[in-house]
Amino acid sequence: MDFKNLYTFQTILEEGSFYKAAERLSYTQSTITNQITQLEQELHVRLFEKIGRKNELTQEGKRLIPYVNQVLSSVNALKSFDNSLADNRGEIRIGVAETFLCYRLPPVVRKFNRAAPKATMLLHSLSCHNVRDSLIRGTCDVGIFYEEIGGIPDTLEFMRIGKFPLSLVASPETAERYPDFITHGQRIEIPLLSNEHNCIYRTIFEDYLRRKDITLNKTVELWSIPTIKNLVMNNMGITFLPRFTTETEVKNGTLREIPTDLEDSPITAICCWHKNKWISPIIRLFLDLCKEEYTASETTVSGT
C-alpha cells in the first residue's frame, strides 16, 4: 500500500475537498482522484460518493479514518526516530483560532523553525469549535483555541497559556457618535462586524447586548480579522475582539475603545492535544515553546 494515498485521503478530510487537497499537495485533481481510486481498489470499499457537486465520505470512509491516522502517526514517528531536532524531518499539524494565529503565535513559529528547520509545520486557521473537533478526530496534533467554548472532553489534555481581555472598538468618528454601550434599552443604528456565528467573543458580546436590551441594526459576518478591522476603521461599524488584536490601532489612534460592562470578562487561551497522541520530539518542542512563550502558570490538566 502506498502511504501517499493514505496521506492524500487524510488531506482531503483536513481541507474539505479534492480541489483544496490538490492545491495543498501541489497535485492535479486527476492525481488526487487516481490515488483515492487506488486506495479504494486495495481496500475493496467505496470511500467517497458523489452527492450533487460534492464528494461525501461513505460509512466505510468514516470507519477508515482512525486507522489512517494511526498508520500515518506511526510513519511520522519513524521520521522522528532521530532525536536530533536539527535533522528531524517529522510533521506537526496545528489548528489555531485565527486571532491567536495572526497576533500571538508568530514568535513560537519563528523559534520552532530555528530549532527544527527540516520539520514540516502545517498551520490551519479554524474556528475554535473546529479546532477542538479536529483534535478529537485526530486530524490535528495540537490545537490552540479558547476554553470558553466549553465541551472539552476528557480525551483531550490542555495547558492554559494566558487570559486575554476583550474590547469593543470603533473608529474615532463612530465612537464619538455612539459612545454608550452600557445604558439599557438602546436602539443603536450601526452594524456589528464579526466572524462566524459561534465565535466565542461574538457569542459573549451578543449575550451582553441581550442582557442590556441593546439592539444594533444588523450583524455583518466576515471571515478575516484584518478585513473586519479595516472596515471598522473606515466607519463601517463596530467590532468586539481580543484586545491584543487591536492594541496597535488603538495606540496610533485609528481605533478607539468604547466602554462596556465586560471589562472583567477575559477569555482563556489553551494549548490542547489528544491524550492518546504520541508526543513526538517536534510536538514536544512546540508544546515547550508555547509554555515558555506564554509563561503559563497552570500545570497541564485533563479536560472535563
Side-chain angles (χ1 to χ4, degrees), residues 229-268:
K229 292 198 301 180
N230 185 58
L231 292 176
V232 170
M233 286 187 283
N234 283 279
N235 304 315
M236 297 295 291
I238 60 171
T239 192
F240 188 71
L241 294 168
R243 183 171 287 145
F244 63 73
T245 68
T246 59
E247 56 189 358
T248 298
E249 291 80 9
V250 169
K251 285 179 181 177
N252 66 29
T254 54
L255 288 176
R256 184 182 298 176
E257 288 194 13
I258 301 175
T260 68
D261 287 337
L262 289 168
E263 304 297 328
D264 297 323
S265 302
I267 53 176
T268 305

Side-chain angles (χ1 to χ4, degrees), residues 266-277:
I267 53 176
T268 305
I270 59 175
C271 185
C272 194
W273 60 97
H274 200 287
K275 68 192 308 180
N276 295 329
K277 169 70 66 176

Side-chain angles (χ1 to χ4, degrees), residues 27-68:
Y27 291 156
T28 63
Q29 281 191 261
S30 60
T31 298
I32 295 288
T33 301
N34 289 337
Q35 288 179 332
I36 294 302
T37 299
Q38 290 173 12
L39 187 58
E40 290 176 330
Q41 291 172 347
E42 288 180 311
L43 297 174
H44 305 290
V45 296
R46 188 75 178 269
L47 300 176
F48 293 92
E49 57 187 355
K50 196 81 168 178
I51 299 179
R53 294 187 176 182
K54 294 186 66 177
N55 286 293
E56 301 285 353
L57 265 180
T58 62
Q59 288 301 315
E60 290 81 3
K62 292 176 183 178
R63 288 175 52 209
L64 183 65
I65 292 173
Y67 298 103
V68 171

Side-chain angles (χ1 to χ4, degrees), residues 69 126-140 143 145 149-153 156 198 272 274:
N69 291 338
L126 303 169
S127 72
C128 290
H129 292 86
N130 286 339
V131 174
R132 179 198 60 195
D133 294 346
S134 294
L135 291 168
I136 294 170
R137 293 194 305 267
T139 54
C140 279
F145 58 100
I149 69 167
I152 303 173
L156 301 182
N198 60 359
C272 194
H274 200 287

Side-chain angles (χ1 to χ4, degrees), residues 38-304:
Q38 290 173 12
L39 187 58
E40 290 176 330
Q41 291 172 347
E42 288 180 311
L43 297 174
H44 305 290
V45 296
R46 188 75 178 269
L47 300 176
F48 293 92
E49 57 187 355
K50 196 81 168 178
I51 299 179
R53 294 187 176 182
K54 294 186 66 177
N55 286 293
E56 301 285 353
L57 265 180
T58 62
Q59 288 301 315
E60 290 81 3
K62 292 176 183 178
R63 288 175 52 209
L64 183 65
I65 292 173
Y67 298 103
V68 171
N69 291 338
Q70 184 177 4
V71 169
L72 294 182
S73 178
S74 297
V75 171
N76 200 31
L78 289 172
K79 291 180 180 178
S80 303
F81 192 73
D82 187 342
N83 288 326
S84 170
L85 285 172
D87 294 322
N88 194 300
R89 297 180 182 274
E91 178 182 284
I92 180 171
R93 300 163 298 167
I94 306 169
V96 193
E98 185 197 3
T99 49
F100 210 90
L101 176 60
C102 290
Y103 299 95
R104 302 293 298 188
L105 195 62
V108 169
V109 174
R110 286 195 295 269
K111 291 179 180 179
F112 180 93
N113 288 336
R114 286 198 295 266
K118 296 181 181 179
T120 300
M121 175 185 283
L122 301 174
L123 292 169
H124 301 278
S125 177
L126 303 169
S127 72
C128 290
H129 292 86
N130 286 339
V131 174
R132 179 198 60 195
D133 294 346
S134 294
L135 291 168
I136 294 170
R137 293 194 305 267
T139 54
C140 279
D141 300 313
V142 181
I144 296 178
F145 58 100
Y146 300 113
E147 186 176 6
E148 283 72 15
I149 69 167
I152 303 173
D154 58 10
T155 55
L156 301 182
E157 297 196 11
F158 63 86
M159 60 182 175
R160 297 182 175 94
I161 56 177
K163 289 184 178 291
F164 302 100
L166 300 160
S167 66
L168 178 64
V169 295
S171 68
E173 295 89 341
T174 301
E176 287 287 343
R177 188 177 177 188
Y178 302 103
D180 182 5
F181 274 77
I182 295 177
T183 303
H184 283 73
Q186 298 185 78
R187 303 296 178 263
I188 300 176
E189 293 300 316
I190 195 167
L192 171 68
L193 306 186
S194 192
N195 45 9
E196 68 271 5
H197 70 280
N198 60 359
C199 165
I200 184 59
Y201 33 90
R202 173 175 168 177
T203 299
I204 290 171
F205 188 62
E206 289 178 337
D207 287 345
Y208 171 79
L209 293 177
R210 282 191 288 271
R211 291 197 306 273
K212 289 284 189 177
D213 189 26
I214 296 174
T215 302
L216 305 181
N217 67 354
K218 61 182 173 181
T219 297
V220 178
E221 188 170 299
L222 299 163
W223 290 84
S224 165
I225 301 301
T227 299
I228 290 171
K229 292 198 301 180
N230 185 58
L231 292 176
V232 170
M233 286 187 283
N234 283 279
N235 304 315
M236 297 295 291
I238 60 171
T239 192
F240 188 71
L241 294 168
R243 183 171 287 145
F244 63 73
T245 68
T246 59
E247 56 189 358
T248 298
E249 291 80 9
V250 169
K251 285 179 181 177
N252 66 29
T254 54
L255 288 176
R256 184 182 298 176
E257 288 194 13
I258 301 175
T260 68
D261 287 337
L262 289 168
E263 304 297 328
D264 297 323
S265 302
I267 53 176
T268 305
I270 59 175
C271 185
C272 194
W273 60 97
H274 200 287
K275 68 192 308 180
N276 295 329
K277 169 70 66 176
W278 175 65
I279 305 300
S280 69
I282 57 171
I283 293 177
R284 174 52 58 196
L285 170 65
F286 182 81
L287 295 177
D288 288 345
L289 289 174
C290 284
K291 187 173 182 180
E292 174 187 307
E293 179 70 23
Y294 307 118
T295 59
S297 58
E298 299 178 75
T299 58
T300 301
V301 297
S302 293
T304 57

